Amino acid sequence: MDCLFCKIASGSIPVTHLFETDQLLAFPDINPQAPTHILIIPKLHFSSLAHTTSEQAGLLGQLLTAAAEIAQQQQLAAGYRLVINTGPDGGQTVGHLHVHLLGGRHMSWPPG
Ligand code: 5GP
Ligand code: ZN
């Protein structure tokens, strides 16, 4: 499958591995929107959050606990934001499920 994040997960496109388990990989976003901007992906391909079911509950839980662990490693004690853009209205541009971990500055609300 011609999927950018599958290529990153398989190592055919090299990235800095900030966190890795058998099922997950975290790497820096190429176009950071905050001093810390990390993407956390499952190594298995899911096109978006909308393409998961309760069968993926464990994997989705791992994405969140990994995000909290990475935030601690990145010294984001002042806080951070997790974002899962989903589908066209959600602003998703890469069709492989990913969690954005943003930190190092104050985040405004509501998002654009
Ligand atoms: P989305 O808009 O789908 O929520 O997020 C996709 C993210 O992937 C964007 O923040 C974009 O900067 C990032 N991105 C796109 N291509 C690459 C790439 O080749 N390498 C990395 N590290 N990030 C990418
Ligand atoms: Zn993929």
Side-chain angles (χ1 to χ4, degrees):
M1 189 188 297
D2 192 28
C3 169
L4 176 64
F5 287 177
C6 280
K7 288 178 186 163
I8 287 176
S10 71
S12 66
I13 295 177
V15 292
T16 302
H17 291 206
L18 297 172
F19 181 94
E20 186 170 13
T21 68
D22 285 350
Q23 303 193 54
L24 307 179
L25 177 64
F27 53 94
D29 195 291
I30 204 168
N31 182 23
Q33 302 301 313
T36 300
H37 187 173
I38 293 167
L39 299 173
I40 309 157
I41 64 168
K43 291 183 176 176
L44 281 180
H45 181 87
F46 297 94
S47 299
S48 80
L49 187 65
H51 295 77
T52 64
T53 67
S54 56
E55 242 180 89
Q56 281 77 51
L59 181 66
L60 294 169
Q62 286 176 39
L63 281 167
L64 293 182
T65 56
E69 199 173 320
I70 296 163
Q72 204 167 13
Q73 285 174 2
Q74 298 284 324
Q75 302 179 327
L76 299 178
Y80 52 89
R81 182 169 293 174
L82 303 181
V83 174
I84 305 177
N85 294 325
T86 304
D89 274 5
Q92 184 177 2
T93 60
V94 176
H96 179 127
L97 173 62
H98 51 282
V99 177
H100 295 258
L101 168 61
L102 296 143
R105 65 169 172 83
H106 185 79
M107 302 291 157
S108 59
W109 189 264

